[in-house]
Amino acid sequence: INAEYMGLFRFMDLSYEQTRYTAHSTFIRRDKSEENKYSEEKKDLQVAFKNVVSNFPKEVKEKFVAIKHFTDQREQLEEEKEKEIDKIEREFAEKLRPVDQEIEDIVNGKRGPLEEELKKIGDFENPAETKENLKFDFEEIKAGPGIPGFWAKAMLNNPLLAQCIR
């Protein structure tokens, strides 16, 4: 395969990567400089794609142009989807903010639990469970406001995180 064809396949791969990136960008965000570099590379490859495909026989050219049409359409839909996902994420971030603040206030001792929040306390009553089986210093928690070292202890009690921390 000569260099022209390699450029063509690289363009098709870049289009796939853009689609894959867009589909996963909720979890992995690129910074602006990386986006600009990616955009420039894509423009260069589009020019190379046009140059290579223009030399193909008509029947082959038509197939590649049709694929390009649908690749562009797919990218446009992926961008639209991404905008909707971002919109929903912002909406839920706003809804979650007060809940997260309440958790933070309890953990940091700014307030104690309210009666309404304790309605399900019976769900946590388990006479078979003993104090010795748990990895908490209950006296430390009872003695002061909040829950000292809550997040550190929570992470150490999670087997996967504990392996990474130790």
Side-chain angles (χ1 to χ4, degrees):
I1 296 179
N2 66 28
E4 288 180 339
Y5 291 110
M6 289 304 292
L8 175 68
F9 291 120
R10 175 68 183 119
F11 174 78
M12 300 304 267
D13 183 51
L14 185 64
S15 293
Y16 168 76
E17 285 299 315
Q18 171 64 29
T19 301
R20 190 177 65 75
Y21 158 71
T22 303
H24 292 89
S25 65
T26 302
F27 305 106
I28 302 170
R29 301 276 187 215
R30 294 182 180 198
D31 64 27
K32 286 293 181 192
S33 63
E34 191 175 344
E35 282 294 327
N36 292 337
K37 177 183 162 196
Y38 187 84
S39 181
E40 289 300 316
E41 182 181 354
K42 185 175 179 181
K43 286 177 188 174
D44 292 344
L45 288 171
Q46 285 176 336
V47 170
F49 176 81
K50 288 178 184 177
N51 291 338
V52 172
V53 172
S54 66
N55 295 316
F56 287 175
K58 183 180 182 217
E59 298 80 15
V60 176
K61 186 186 312 183
E62 289 172 348
K63 291 176 183 178
F64 276 94
V65 170
I67 291 170
K68 173 75 170 100
H69 167 79
F70 288 110
T71 301
D72 290 346
Q73 193 175 26
R74 181 172 176 68
E75 285 181 23
Q76 187 176 13
L77 289 170
E78 289 286 349
E79 286 176 21
E80 186 179 323
K81 177 187 82 173
E82 194 60 34
K83 286 178 185 175
E84 290 296 316
I85 289 171
D86 285 344
K87 178 182 165 189
I88 291 169
E89 284 178 342
R90 283 191 302 277
E91 287 175 16
F92 275 88
E94 279 302 311
K95 290 178 181 180
L96 289 169
R97 188 165 301 154
V99 174
D100 291 341
Q101 185 62 51
E102 294 296 334
I103 293 169
E104 185 178 325
D105 288 351
I106 292 171
V107 168
N108 292 328
K110 292 182 180 175
R111 75 171 189 85
L114 303 175
E115 190 173 318
E116 176 186 326
E117 299 161 352
L118 298 175
K119 286 182 182 175
K120 294 186 177 183
I121 194 77
D123 294 351
F124 296 92
E125 305 280 336
N126 187 354
E129 195 64 54
T130 63
K131 183 175 164 181
E132 294 78 33
N133 293 342
L134 302 173
K135 297 178 185 176
F136 282 110
D137 180 359
F138 291 107
E139 296 308 316
E140 181 184 10
I141 295 171
K142 286 193 275 183
I147 305 173
F150 175 82
W151 293 113
K153 291 172 186 170
M155 289 190 288
L156 287 171
N157 282 319
N158 178 304
L160 293 175
L161 290 175
Q163 287 176 357
C164 294
I165 293 170
R166 292 178 188 171

